[in-house]
Amino acid sequence: MGKQETNVVDVRTPRVSIAIPQGEKGDNGQAGAAKEKPLKMRTQGVNVFYGDNQALSEIDLDIRENEVTALIGPSGCGKSTYLRCLNRMNDTIEGCQVEGTVTLDGENIYDRTVDVVHLRARIGMVFQKPNPFPKSIYDNVAYGPRIHGLVSSQDALNEIVMTSLTKAGLLDEVRNRLHEPGTGLSGGQQQRLCIARAIAVNPEVILMDEPCSALDPIATARIEELIDELRKNYTIIIVTHNMQQAARVSQRTAFFHLGVLVEFGDTERVFTSPRDERTQGYITGRFG
Amino acid sequence: MQFFVLAVTLVVLTGIGFFFGRSHALSSVSGRARNLHSLPDYYGWYLALWCGLPSFGLFLLWVLAEPYLIDVLVINQMSAVLPDKWAGSSDLILNLVQSLAAGHTVPGEATPALQEAADHYNALKKTSFAGLAAAMASLVAAGLAWGLRQITPGLRARNQVEKVLRWLLVASATIAVLTTIGIILSLLFETIRFFQLTPFWDFLFGLSWSPQTSIRTDQVGSSGEFGAIPLFTGTLLVTFIAMAVAVPIGLMSAIYMADYASPKIRNIAKPMLEVLAGIPTVVYGFFAALTVGPFLRDVGMATGLEVSSESALAAGGVMGIMIIPFISSLSDDIIAAVPQSLRDGSLALGATRSETVRSVVLPAALPGVISACLLGVSRAIGETMIVVMAAGLAAKLTANPLESVTTVTVQIVTLLVGDQEFDSAKTLAAFALGLVLFAVTLVLNLVALRVVQKFREQYD
């Protein structure tokens, strides 16, 4: 396995540092600018331990701006753990220890001087299970702007709430019941509310931890459309169990297995001609 | 003592019945337990129940009815020989006869008639005991014979035992409920008697409380006033002070334990806080009376405030400390039950911990926290020992926490302590106060339970 891993690194490293495009990226035709987008986040040598258990080892991964990066892999492979490293949500877990560097715009987010609260305002997160606060729809969206003091007037707050709901594609459905509890919405609406809540603080990166796993296919399709829409303004990293979903929404795909990053590359390439046999096995459904 | 011997014998016989039934069932299938309908033990229980239950029932009935029967018999026998001046005071006579029968000396002279009655009483008791023993023995024997005849491999002993168990449980529950009802009814009847002596509205809205009633008609100045308002304001004042201490401290320690403390600290801190709940209230009482009260008075003297050494502040403050563990422990459970996903959602938006607690966790836990506080209030209202020792006795209508006040519970204690006739307005007032107190705490508890239930539904 160690041999294969070095192999993967060899494959990937030139793409990142020297940035030789291979001329793919054919999805939707529009991304075919064929230029690498600027680097947004970069992780180098990330190791994560839960107590004595090592959950991730030596993860090197680059996230590019205005792209959707999908993290796939079997359960327990560490992809959610990795995602939670990116906004330091692992800090809240007892006994969790993160090594290595994670940079956002070149600045190490694990640096002593970094304010976690500020960091999380720049990197939003949407969770697996919709978790609207037991407050009104309006207050759910207004929560972030309020605690960060983003607005000084009620009008400005109204505007943020409306734009966020519009961006999340939820406004038309809830326009007449903004002051009813957010927990009364359907599962898919709740998840879009959580997305609206996340984009209300105007983050640069949005992390999504299996955002559709609790939703039915129609709600899932709406969220996927939304993700594609949001890509214009945000950098998105999404963990998913659903490989069709990864293929549909993402431009790049990283395959994790047993705490190791096995393969990382353009989505189309990873799904059509995987270089590692484990990736091949997983995406063709032979295991996982 | 004799009854005790009887009860032990019954238990032993029942035990023997168990083994007898078990071995009988086994021998009926020549040792192959698989051929029995139920496990062999169930046949043992079946026979044991047949042996024990009927005679136990008889035993209970006998114990309840015997004193009454014997009294009637003794009185009947004596009424013929007693002088007229004793007529109508049979209770007194019975007391005399009983103490004479037990070998105590009686006041005055033991007349031959009394002595004779005492002998008769003793003889009756002996006969009764012998009769009971014989009846129980025969019931055990009959149960044993009947049960043994019933035990066949096909007998559904398991189902039968299950049925009996069910009725045992029903009986236990009934006893608990009936006792409660009995207590309420006795409160109610005495209260009604009280309101025949004192007008209802004078009691509920009267502003003056001085429960001295005259024993003789020619006494002056002690007609008694039963206005309960000063007592209720006193209770309210002390309760308010107690909650002002307990709610902030209890709630904040709950938040600390649920949201801030590491599991290690929480595992130490929570039991430590709960130790507070294990301190007897009388200990809190003398802490309030001997330490806190004088301390407050000294502080008052130093700052020029007039603080009475028995003050509402001392009693209420110490009571608040007593209530902290109730509020913190309950609130901690409730706050910990708020899903982690809500906290994550808030933290991921860049909220700090305290912002998360204030704007997400507490609002979500609010119903539960309120009901924890209501339970605390009902404890504070019903608390007696601390206020008896530290709040004072004078029924003053005041809102000043530095003065001494008296509470409903304190007055119930003082009304009933000492030699009292049990039909004066003074003692009956205690029942009226008790009933009001009961009603208030009952309502508070019901409200709290309802709120907790609603809260549970929210996350399940």
Side-chain angles (χ1 to χ4, degrees):
Chain A
M1 191 197 257
K3 185 175 172 287
Q4 278 165 330
E5 202 190 335
T6 28
N7 184 24
V8 171
V9 173
D10 285 342
V11 168
R12 183 167 45 76
T13 313
R15 309 170 51 69
V16 170
S17 44
I18 314 172
I20 305 170
Q22 291 185 329
E24 72 289 308
K25 294 214 61 78
D27 73 308
N28 295 343
Q30 49 168 284
K35 283 260 161 60
E36 289 280 356
K37 299 226 168 84
L39 200 60
K40 186 69 187 173
M41 294 188 84
R42 161 174 258 180
T43 53
Q44 284 171 306
V46 168
N47 290 306
V48 179
F49 301 88
Y50 290 121
D52 292 333
N53 281 338
Q54 184 159 12
L56 286 177
S57 41
E58 296 299 322
I59 307 294
D60 300 320
L61 194 67
D62 294 326
I63 313 283
R64 299 193 172 271
E65 219 168 288
N66 297 345
E67 280 190 354
V68 177
T69 306
L71 312 180
I72 60 170
S75 296
C77 68
K79 51 195 190 311
S80 286
T81 301
Y82 176 75
L83 195 72
R84 291 169 68 94
C85 285
L86 298 180
N87 65 345
R88 292 185 59 176
M89 280 302 278
N90 282 336
D91 291 13
T92 61
I93 295 173
E94 193 77 17
C96 179
Q97 203 192 334
V98 180
E99 289 171 3
T101 56
V102 179
T103 59
L104 173 66
D105 290 338
E107 182 194 13
N108 186 4
I109 65 169
Y110 281 89
D111 198 87
R112 200 177 284 274
T113 56
V114 167
D115 177 9
V116 182
V117 165
H118 185 64
L119 172 78
R120 291 188 188 141
R122 292 176 66 192
I123 306 181
M125 188 163 191
V126 176
F127 294 84
Q128 179 169 5
K129 217 177 133 221
N131 57 349
F133 302 134
K135 300 168 179 290
S136 73
I137 294 171
Y138 184 94
D139 286 339
N140 260 287
V141 183
Y143 183 81
R146 275 187 184 137
I147 57 172
H148 292 299
L150 297 185
V151 287
S152 46
S153 71
Q154 186 64 39
D155 287 344
L157 185 61
N158 284 343
E159 198 186 315
I160 288 193
V161 171
M162 291 305 167
T163 357
S164 306
L165 284 172
T166 316
K167 281 189 194 164
L170 190 63
L171 186 63
D172 291 338
E173 291 157 64
V174 300
R175 193 187 297 278
N176 297 323
R177 42 173 179 156
L178 283 177
H179 295 283
E180 285 171 31
T183 42
L185 297 172
S186 74
Q189 289 173 327
Q190 285 188 12
Q191 195 61 298
R192 275 181 280 145
L193 178 61
C194 292
I195 293 175
R197 188 175 72 186
I199 58 189
V201 287
N202 200 21
E204 297 157 34
V205 180
I206 301 175
L207 311 177
M208 297 187 172
D209 191 355
E210 299 181 40
C212 303
S213 63
L215 304 181
D216 66 61
I218 295 170
T220 300
R222 296 222 45 177
I223 304 267
E224 287 179 6
E225 271 171 41
L226 180 59
I227 291 172
D228 203 50
E229 193 71 20
L230 291 173
R231 177 162 68 88
K232 291 175 194 150
N233 300 313
Y234 307 96
T235 306
I236 294 172
I237 304 160
I238 179 172
V239 166
T240 177
H241 264 131
N242 180 334
M243 276 166 291
Q244 285 81 10
Q245 183 171 65
R248 280 192 299 262
V249 301
S250 73
Q251 284 72 53
R252 287 171 190 268
T253 298
F255 173 61
F256 284 72
H257 188 225
L258 298 173
V260 174
L261 176 62
V262 175
E263 183 157 357
F264 176 53
D266 290 325
T267 299
E268 205 178 280
R269 206 272 298 145
V270 169
F271 278 93
T272 51
S273 53
R275 294 182 185 150
D276 192 288
E277 62 186 63
R278 283 169 292 176
T279 318
Q280 169 102 38
Y282 183 69
I283 60 178
T284 53
R286 264 191 280 125
F287 75 96
Chain B
M1 186 58 209
Q2 286 175 317
F3 284 118
F4 179 70
V5 172
L6 215 54
V8 168
T9 317
L10 183 60
V11 170
V12 169
L13 284 178
T14 311
I16 292 173
F18 174 82
F19 289 107
F20 216 44
R22 196 173 181 279
S23 61
H24 184 75
L26 274 177
S27 68
S28 73
V29 288
S30 45
R32 282 195 298 272
R34 289 202 53 173
N35 296 347
L36 288 171
H37 167 269
S38 317
L39 289 175
D41 276 6
Y42 279 108
Y43 293 93
W45 283 115
Y46 179 79
L47 194 61
L49 287 172
W50 265 115
C51 284
L53 267 190
S55 37
F56 180 66
L58 180 75
F59 178 75
L60 273 189
L61 265 182
W62 203 287
V63 168
L64 290 177
E66 187 207 35
Y68 176 74
L69 279 177
I70 290 184
D71 287 356
V72 169
L73 286 176
V74 169
I75 288 292
N76 276 349
Q77 188 239 6
M78 287 188 72
S79 56
V81 293
L82 274 180
D84 283 346
K85 69 164 180 167
W86 291 102
S89 48
S90 51
D91 280 357
L92 193 60
I93 299 173
L94 269 178
N95 265 336
L96 286 175
V97 170
Q98 273 165 9
S99 51
L100 206 57
H104 301 307
T105 49
V106 291
E109 79 286 22
T111 60
L114 275 180
Q115 191 58 53
E116 192 186 322
D119 292 343
H120 183 56
Y121 182 86
N122 276 338
L124 277 175
K125 280 213 115 170
K126 256 190 199 139
T127 325
S128 148
F129 180 75
L132 174 61
M136 281 174 67
S138 45
L139 265 181
V140 168
L144 196 66
W146 171 256
L148 273 182
R149 272 191 51 185
Q150 293 293 310
I151 291 183
T152 56
L155 173 72
R156 300 183 174 182
R158 193 177 169 190
N159 310 29
Q160 303 274 1
V161 171
E162 196 67 23
K163 241 181 247 171
V164 175
L165 262 185
R166 180 198 155 96
W167 284 108
L168 274 179
L169 298 180
V170 169
S172 312
T174 317
I175 288 174
V177 172
L178 285 184
T179 316
T180 314
I181 293 178
I183 291 175
I184 297 172
L185 283 185
S186 80
L187 265 182
L188 201 63
F189 286 129
E190 301 296 331
T191 305
I192 290 170
R193 278 176 68 192
F194 171 70
F195 286 130
Q196 284 161 356
L197 298 173
T198 308
F200 178 72
W201 299 112
D202 285 3
F203 170 75
L204 215 53
F205 295 112
L207 295 181
S208 169
W209 174 268
S210 72
Q212 278 73 36
T213 46
S214 53
I215 297 170
R216 302 188 310 274
T217 42
D218 55 336
Q219 277 180 321
V220 282
S222 43
S223 56
E225 287 178 291
F226 294 97
I229 290 280
L231 306 190
F232 288 119
T233 52
T235 297
L236 274 182
L237 183 61
V238 173
T239 304
F240 178 78
I241 295 169
M243 295 321 282
V245 171
V247 170
I249 299 182
L251 196 54
M252 286 191 208
S253 54
I255 290 171
Y256 172 71
M257 284 191 291
D259 266 88
Y260 284 80
S262 66
K264 215 189 262 172
I265 293 179
R266 180 188 151 105
N267 285 345
I268 298 169
K270 206 175 173 193
M272 295 260 284
L273 252 176
E274 276 158 7
V275 165
L276 275 182
I279 298 177
T281 54
V282 66
V283 175
Y284 281 113
F286 62 69
F287 177 62
L290 302 182
T291 312
V292 179
F295 170 75
L296 287 177
R297 190 196 50 210
D298 293 347
V299 170
M301 273 207 284
T303 54
L305 285 169
E306 200 170 311
V307 184
S308 125
S309 63
E310 287 182 324
S311 65
L313 191 59
V318 172
M319 196 192 283
I321 293 171
M322 182 199 82
I323 294 170
I324 287 173
F326 293 94
I327 293 188
S328 74
S329 190
L330 264 175
S331 307
D332 174 46
D333 291 344
I334 288 155
I335 290 172
V338 173
Q340 182 64 31
S341 67
L342 287 185
R343 292 187 177 87
D344 282 348
S346 171
L347 291 175
L349 282 170
T352 61
R353 263 194 191 179
S354 77
E355 283 167 341
T356 302
V357 166
R358 213 171 31 203
S359 3
V360 175
V361 176
L362 274 189
L366 195 63
V369 170
I370 288 176
S371 74
C373 293
L374 286 182
L375 289 178
V377 170
S378 66
R379 264 203 79 88
I381 291 177
E383 171 52 41
T384 310
M385 213 57 222
I386 296 175
V387 276
V388 165
M389 293 170 88
L393 288 175
K396 278 186 223 157
L397 188 54
T398 175
N400 181 358
L402 303 179
E403 277 188 67
S404 75
V405 295
T406 193
T407 70
V408 176
T409 47
V410 171
Q411 286 307 312
I412 292 178
V413 170
T414 50
L415 288 175
L416 292 183
V417 165
D419 287 336
Q420 304 282 354
E421 254 190 297
F422 240 146
D423 48 4
S424 69
K426 185 176 169 179
T427 47
L428 290 175
F431 289 97
L433 289 176
L435 189 66
V436 175
L437 211 54
F438 169 74
V440 171
T441 45
L442 181 72
V443 168
L444 278 177
N445 283 348
L446 284 182
V447 170
L449 282 180
R450 276 305 286 271
V451 176
V452 168
Q453 264 171 12
K454 273 216 162 139
F455 172 73
R456 292 231 170 93
E457 286 159 11
Q458 205 175 326
Y459 289 123
D460 283 352

